Structures are given as structure tokens and as C-alpha cells.
Amino acid sequence: MPKPTEPLTEEYLDELRSAYAGTQSDEGRTIVALLNELDAADDALHASEDEVESLRAEVKQLREKIAPKAPSASLSPSRSRPGSWVVRWRDRESDLRRSQSFPNRREAEHFRASMIDRWNGGAR
């Protein structure tokens, strides 16, 4: 028999079940009732653990949905004004698409780089 301070093993609990199964003594019925309560509590604990894991997975999915996207901006030639360039990006606060035109590619690239630097806190 294990000492009272040692954890109870499944083997020991099974021994108790078989030793007291069908017993007529008050002590035996009490032990069987306590073993049944222990089984019910163990089942409830496992169900709770499964529910917690399910909720953790759900929280992870929600966090991924609302996580800010990596900052990006595209650069392309303007269709309406030959020789000029357009920078397009999605505004992070309003989630609206924005754009700005520039007379040449160099200025558009500079603007795009400065926006990304600002989004990243000054570090690339």
C-alpha cells in the first residue's frame, strides 16, 4: 500500500476497487463511493482540459485575424499621367486604401521608404 503522502496510481485505485467491490461493510461502501466520486471528478477535469484547449485554439485564431499585417506599399507607373508614379498602401488605422502621385520614380520610392520606416518605428 502506498504511503498517504504519495500520489495514488491507477493500479492502486484498481486494487481498491476490486478489493471492495460488492462489500457489505460501511467502510467498503464508503471507499467505493469515494472511488466513484474520484472517477467523476477525473472525468470532469479531463473535459475541462479539453474545453480549455479548444478555447485556446479559438483565441489563437482570433488573434491571428486581428493581428496587424506587415506594412507594405506598392509603387507603379501612373496610368493617367505618363512619367509620373503612384504609391498605394492600406491605411493601418482606418483600413482604407490610399494613394499618392509623384512626378518621378525617385520621389515615389523615397516616400514609400519613409512610410515603411515610420510604420516600423524607424528601423528596417
Side-chain angles (χ1 to χ4, degrees), residues 66-95:
I66 63 171
K69 307 293 185 244
S72 66
S74 66
L75 179 70
S76 59
S78 173
R79 292 184 184 148
S80 59
R81 294 188 298 189
S84 64
W85 288 77
V86 179
V87 176
R88 291 181 180 84
W89 70 95
R90 185 173 292 276
D91 186 295
R92 297 174 87 188
E93 280 117 37
S94 65
D95 203 36

Side-chain angles (χ1 to χ4, degrees), residues 29-121:
R29 286 194 299 264
T30 301
I31 289 173
V32 170
L34 289 172
L35 289 170
N36 290 339
E37 285 183 39
L38 182 61
D39 285 341
D42 192 45
D43 290 345
L45 177 63
H46 287 297
S48 296
E49 289 170 348
D50 292 343
E51 186 177 350
V52 166
E53 285 306 312
S54 172
L55 291 172
R56 281 188 179 139
E58 193 175 327
V59 166
K60 182 181 177 188
Q61 287 177 340
L62 291 172
R63 283 187 176 151
E64 288 172 358
K65 281 184 178 180
I66 63 171
K69 307 293 185 244
S72 66
S74 66
L75 179 70
S76 59
S78 173
R79 292 184 184 148
S80 59
R81 294 188 298 189
S84 64
W85 288 77
V86 179
V87 176
R88 291 181 180 84
W89 70 95
R90 185 173 292 276
D91 186 295
R92 297 174 87 188
E93 280 117 37
S94 65
D95 203 36
L96 296 174
R97 293 181 185 184
R98 306 278 186 198
S99 66
Q100 187 167 337
S101 298
F102 296 89
N104 57 56
R105 183 178 182 142
R106 185 178 57 78
E107 288 182 35
E109 287 175 343
H110 178 73
F111 177 79
R112 179 179 175 270
S114 67
M115 285 182 62
I116 291 174
D117 280 346
R118 206 175 30 221
W119 290 335
N120 289 330

Side-chain angles (χ1 to χ4, degrees), residues 1-21:
M1 292 273 183
K3 295 177 189 171
T5 57
E6 293 178 8
L8 298 174
T9 63
E10 282 295 319
E11 293 82 19
Y12 177 66
L13 295 175
D14 288 340
E15 285 177 31
L16 285 174
R17 278 186 194 92
S18 62
Y20 289 99

